[in-house]
């Protein structure tokens, strides 16, 4: 499958994605660990699920209204908001806000294989 879209008059085409929804369905698990001991910069860590061929991990942080705050890719099974030490691709377009301890945020993780299939999906809410 190839996804394409037009934005501001320019055609965007993604890399091909082999659909494996029957042979290798995306695993949805909640084995995420969140370490809030670092002020308002939580550390998220995880393990692969039943599929161990993930090569990159995509993390998204949203506010309590599901507005995008940050999007990053790592090769590691760990991400610290908002430290970019182990980030290999950052799709965040502006500096994300400092997290507020009195608010709730969302965290989404996707573990992606070499052929762009999402092996693992985790979604959770958290407070820093």
């Amino acid at each position: 499958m190839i996804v394409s879209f037009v934005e501001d008059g320019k055609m965007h085409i993604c890399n091909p994605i082999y659909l494996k929804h029957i042979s290798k369905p995306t695993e949805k698990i909640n084995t995420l660990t969140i370490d809030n001991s670092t002020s308002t910069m939580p550390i998220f860590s995880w393990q692969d699920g039943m599929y161990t061929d993930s090569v990159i991990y995509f993390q998204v942080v949203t506010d309590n209204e599901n507005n995008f705050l940050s999007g990053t890719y790592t090769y590691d099974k760990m991400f610290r908001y908002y430290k970019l030490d182990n980030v290999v691709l950052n799709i965040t377009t502006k500096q994300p806000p400092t997290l507020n301890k009195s608010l709730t945020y969302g965290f989404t993780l996707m573990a992606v294989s070499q052929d762009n299939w999402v092996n693992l999906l985790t979604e959770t809410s958290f407070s820093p």
Side-chain angles (χ1 to χ4, degrees):
M1 176 177 86
I2 296 177
V3 176
S4 63
F5 63 96
V6 176
E7 179 183 48
D8 296 330
K10 181 180 177 188
M11 173 68 84
H12 299 274
I13 300 174
C14 79
N15 292 333
I17 300 169
Y18 177 61
L19 296 180
K20 301 184 207 178
H21 63 287
I22 294 173
S23 64
K24 192 178 181 185
T26 299
E27 184 180 9
K28 295 181 182 177
I29 61 173
N30 288 323
T31 59
L32 184 69
T33 301
I34 303 172
D35 179 353
N36 289 324
S37 65
T38 57
S39 181
T40 56
M41 299 176 76
I43 300 171
F44 303 91
S45 57
W46 55 87
Q47 295 298 317
D48 282 328
M50 64 190 333
Y51 308 118
T52 59
D53 63 333
S54 297
V55 295
I56 199 162
Y57 302 92
F58 179 49
Q59 308 89 29
V60 174
V61 177
T62 57
D63 66 14
N64 61 345
E65 295 177 351
N66 211 28
N67 295 308
F68 179 87
L69 299 180
S70 77
T72 51
Y73 288 85
T74 65
Y75 293 133
D76 301 325
K77 296 174 187 142
M78 180 278 270
F79 170 70
R80 182 174 180 184
Y81 184 89
Y82 190 73
K83 294 285 188 183
L84 303 178
D85 299 346
N86 68 335
V87 170
V88 294
L89 179 61
N90 182 5
I91 65 165
T92 312
T93 58
K94 58 185 176 182
Q95 181 67 30
T98 300
L99 301 180
N100 184 325
K101 287 187 173 281
S102 64
L103 297 177
T104 301
Y105 298 90
F107 182 82
T108 302
L109 167 73
M110 288 180 261
V112 183
S113 63
Q114 183 69 40
D115 60 1
N116 295 319
W117 184 251
V118 176
N119 286 330
L120 176 75
L121 173 65
T122 299
E123 298 175 287
T124 191
S125 58
F126 71 97
S127 294

